[in-house]
């Protein structure tokens, strides 16, 4: 079921039943739902989205970390530095107009992580080429 949800089926389920399920055991379920929400922002307000997870449970470090891992699970073609720079640009766009403190904290943390990734990738690419 986890893989099925992670592959996009979660977007077919209305948000309210998912939130009720999480609320029954926030400690064990909030971080879990962060692993399989679609890695897009802001997402469809009628279905479970990463932004909604952060608004509801973003004060939890395990939720923020799992969401970051979710958004970092990816593949690309070409230089890693270019890919990471594009991700950085996208994160900065998501930050524009955002007002929720938990969402902003997560975006800022993720930006710091991706900035480090860009720097590391550029160094590795310079050594390689």
């Amino acid at each position: 079921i986890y893989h099925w949800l992670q592959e996009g089926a979660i977007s077919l389920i209305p948000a309210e039943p998912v939130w009720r399920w999480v609320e029954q055991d926030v400690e064990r379920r909030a971080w879990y739902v962060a692993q399989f929400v679609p890695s897009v922002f802001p997402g469809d307000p009628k279905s479970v989205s990463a932004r909604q997870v952060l608004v509801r449970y973003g004060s939890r470090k395990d939720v923020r970390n799992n969401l970051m891992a979710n958004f970092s699970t990816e593949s690309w073609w070409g230089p890693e530095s270019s890919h990471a720079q594009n991700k950085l640009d996208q994160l900065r766009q998501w930050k524009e107009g955002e007002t929720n403190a938990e969402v902003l904290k997560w975006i800022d943390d993720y930006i710091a992580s991706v900035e480090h990734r860009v720097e590391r990738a550029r160094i590795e690419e310079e050594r390689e080429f």
Side-chain angles (χ1 to χ4, degrees):
I1 292 174
Y2 169 80
H3 293 292
W4 176 70
L5 291 170
Q6 193 177 35
E7 290 172 6
I10 189 72
S11 63
L12 303 174
I13 301 170
E16 283 312 309
V18 175
W19 301 135
R20 283 194 303 269
W21 176 78
V22 172
E23 287 298 322
Q24 290 174 1
D25 190 352
V26 174
E27 184 76 23
R28 297 173 88 184
R29 295 178 178 173
W31 67 269
Y32 189 65
V33 77
Q35 290 181 310
F36 54 74
V37 295
S39 55
V40 295
F41 242 76
D44 181 356
K46 295 177 188 165
S47 63
V48 176
S49 71
R51 185 182 183 280
Q52 290 175 6
V53 168
L54 288 167
V55 168
R56 290 171 179 265
Y57 310 110
S59 62
R60 298 179 55 91
K61 187 174 182 173
D62 59 347
V63 169
R64 291 191 312 272
N65 288 346
N66 277 5
L67 190 61
M68 200 176 297
N70 178 349
F71 273 68
S72 299
T73 303
E74 58 196 355
S75 60
W76 68 90
W77 187 262
E80 181 181 5
S81 63
S82 296
H83 172 74
Q85 184 61 55
N86 289 338
K87 181 177 276 286
L88 195 56
D89 295 342
Q90 185 179 50
L91 285 164
R92 289 179 177 139
Q93 284 179 341
W94 291 345
K95 188 174 176 179
E96 291 177 17
E98 181 56 60
T99 58
N100 183 275
E102 298 299 340
V103 177
L104 288 168
K105 177 176 179 21
W106 181 82
I107 291 173
D108 285 340
D109 290 349
Y110 199 17
I111 284 174
S113 172
V114 176
E115 285 174 336
H116 177 74
R117 182 176 167 193
V118 168
E119 183 180 327
R120 182 189 46 77
R122 285 184 177 151
I123 290 168
E124 288 179 12
E125 290 163 6
E126 287 175 11
R127 288 179 183 162
E128 185 177 339
F129 301 110

